[in-house]
Amino acid sequence: MAKWGQGDPRWIVEEREDGTNVNNWHWTERDATSWSKGKLRESLVGIVVENEAGRCQISDLKQVEGEASCSSRKGKLIFFYEWNIRLGWKGIIKESGAKHKGLIEIPNLSEENEVDDTEVNVSKKKGDGDVLKDLMKTAGTAKVREALGDYLKALKTEFTVGMILPTRATATQELTVKRKLSENTLQIQVPLGVRIPTVALHMTELFDTGVERLYSIFTVKELVQKFSKSPAILEAEKGGKFQMFDGNVTGEYIDLLANEKIVMKWRCRNWPEEHYATVVLNFVPTPGQTELQLDCKGVPVCKEENMKFCWQKQHFEEIKGLLQLTTLSG
């Protein structure tokens, strides 16, 4: 039996200033599904292979079904991913100029198999062009497996940044190294919390109204309450706060340019604590309409679909309904 005060260090809950996942002991999990779909598209679509007979390119991601996640437990990362992927490819035979299309199917990309052993099936529509199919089955398959390896590497590095937090001892070691490397630098940053993987969104929508009217719907409390169908708190000025949808959405106005632009700090209630995205609304007049351009940076990867739903369904469609009612009552 250990002496008092000399227990197994694995069971000592170490204090951290941010109080987050002390000692990396507690189980945490991140959903990597949405992030993975984007990364797989980025890694696979556009792959080109070529030889003296022809040239082929992966033209589109037709299907990506499955899920991925990363968990942290006892200071270790545990990965789960299972994907069924279907890609479209097209090619051209150099001598004849004939064009052909086909499919690449990856029925089971998962942690159970090494990338080099992952099944990659290449097929082509009926007719000539087997020389292109052979090119995709050899060089194409090799490039696909290489791209899958790049995705997995990014999943285990880029996506997981911040999931394993430093303990006091490792943080002290990092500080010592940083001081040695930058003796003349006054700023020494200590990683206190989790860096959250984020995505950027861009959406546009046309509204049958002028810019003044549309701008007011985002800045006048009564109009916000009408389209959101819930109480709202609104201080539409630089540095002013806002709260909508029964407190599910909160934030602050960073900048306002009347009838042209609104910049906001924005967060949903179920986002990580104190994490905000930056939302920019540009109001572009067009003949008889206004185009609203939405740019949003800093959305947590796991909340991307929720954010799109929030703006498309709870903002754009409800505002259009409000405009229609106003027109009819007028």
Side-chain angles (χ1 to χ4, degrees):
M1 181 179 292
K3 294 181 180 179
W4 178 262
Q6 297 181 3
D8 188 331
R10 294 177 302 167
W11 301 101
I12 299 173
V13 177
E14 182 177 285
E15 294 182 4
R16 282 177 52 91
E17 290 182 33
D18 58 1
T20 306
N21 199 12
V22 286
N23 251 22
N24 303 313
W25 193 256
H26 308 300
W27 179 278
T28 59
E29 183 176 85
R30 282 186 191 165
D31 183 0
T33 302
S34 180
W35 177 89
S36 292
K37 288 180 178 180
K39 199 68 179 179
L40 285 166
R41 181 183 299 276
E42 175 187 322
S43 301
L44 292 165
V45 176
I47 287 177
V48 174
V49 289
E50 187 173 7
N51 61 14
E52 66 281 355
R55 183 180 187 275
C56 297
Q57 178 178 357
I58 295 179
S59 54
D60 61 309
L61 180 61
K62 292 184 175 294
Q63 173 186 297
V64 54
E65 294 182 344
E67 58 183 324
S69 63
C70 177
S71 303
S72 170
R73 179 73 169 101
K74 300 181 183 179
K76 295 181 180 180
L77 294 174
I78 303 164
F79 297 93
F80 169 81
Y81 53 92
E82 189 171 40
W83 295 107
N84 182 349
I85 303 166
R86 183 186 299 168
L87 303 157
W89 66 267
K90 59 185 179 182
I92 183 169
I93 299 175
K94 291 183 177 179
E95 184 176 348
S96 65
K99 297 179 180 180
H100 298 274
K101 294 181 179 180
L103 295 174
I104 297 175
E105 295 181 282
I106 306 164
N108 184 27
L109 173 65
S110 71
E111 74 279 1
E112 297 177 357
N113 304 307
E114 296 293 331
V115 172
D116 290 342
D117 299 326
T118 299
E119 186 178 354
V120 179
N121 300 319
V122 178
S123 61
K124 183 188 67 64
K125 290 186 176 181
K126 292 181 180 181
D128 297 331
D130 284 340
V131 65
L132 296 178
K133 180 181 176 182
D134 292 340
L135 176 59
M136 289 304 295
K137 288 183 72 171
T138 52
T141 294
K143 281 283 189 76
V144 165
R145 288 192 173 128
E146 182 182 337
L148 295 176
D150 290 342
Y151 153 68
L152 295 178
K153 182 179 179 181
L155 175 65
K156 296 176 181 180
T157 54
E158 178 185 328
F159 180 77
T160 59
V161 170
M163 286 195 71
I164 297 296
L165 301 177
T167 60
R168 187 189 308 150
T170 56
T172 302
Q173 291 172 0
E174 288 178 7
L175 278 174
T176 302
V177 172
K178 287 181 180 180
R179 286 193 181 103
K180 289 181 180 179
L181 292 174
S182 55
E183 292 178 354
N184 297 324
T185 303
L186 296 176
Q187 293 181 345
I188 300 175
Q189 295 181 346
V190 184
L192 294 178
V194 175
R195 278 185 58 191
I196 300 166
T198 62
V199 294
L201 302 179
H202 176 74
M203 302 171 70
T204 61
E205 195 77 15
L206 278 174
F207 294 88
D208 295 327
T209 190
V211 289
E212 296 87 354
R213 180 63 173 167
L214 188 59
Y215 183 87
S216 68
I217 288 176
F218 285 93
T219 53
V220 175
K221 176 180 175 180
E222 291 75 19
L223 295 176
V224 169
Q225 292 183 148
K226 282 185 178 180
F227 85 75
S228 66
K229 298 181 175 65
S230 60
I233 298 173
L234 227 64
E235 301 169 1
E237 59 186 29
K238 190 173 182 178
K241 309 292 185 182
F242 64 82
Q243 180 175 305
M244 299 183 292
F245 300 103
D246 293 324
N248 285 307
V249 171
T250 56
E252 178 182 327
Y253 291 100
I254 299 174
D255 197 16
L256 299 99
L257 188 58
N259 304 325
E260 292 185 28
K261 179 187 287 189
I262 300 174
V263 184
M264 300 173 281
K265 283 176 60 178
W266 175 285
R267 65 170 274 107
C268 295
R269 179 181 284 167
N270 60 357
W271 285 10
E273 193 69 25
E274 297 302 319
H275 179 80
Y276 286 83
T278 300
V279 172
V280 180
L281 299 176
N282 282 296
F283 300 80
V284 182
T286 62
Q289 295 179 310
T290 299
E291 181 181 81
L292 182 65
Q293 300 174 350
L294 164 71
D295 286 288
C296 187
K297 295 180 180 179
V299 178
V301 167
C302 59
K303 303 298 181 183
E304 179 181 4
E305 295 305 317
N306 287 344
M307 189 65 163
K308 288 180 181 177
F309 178 88
C310 175
W311 279 96
Q312 188 62 51
K313 300 295 184 181
Q314 298 178 324
H315 283 78
F316 297 165
E317 292 186 13
E318 293 297 336
I319 288 171
K320 286 184 177 181
L322 174 62
L323 289 170
Q324 190 175 19
L325 285 174
T326 306
T327 302
L328 291 173
S329 60

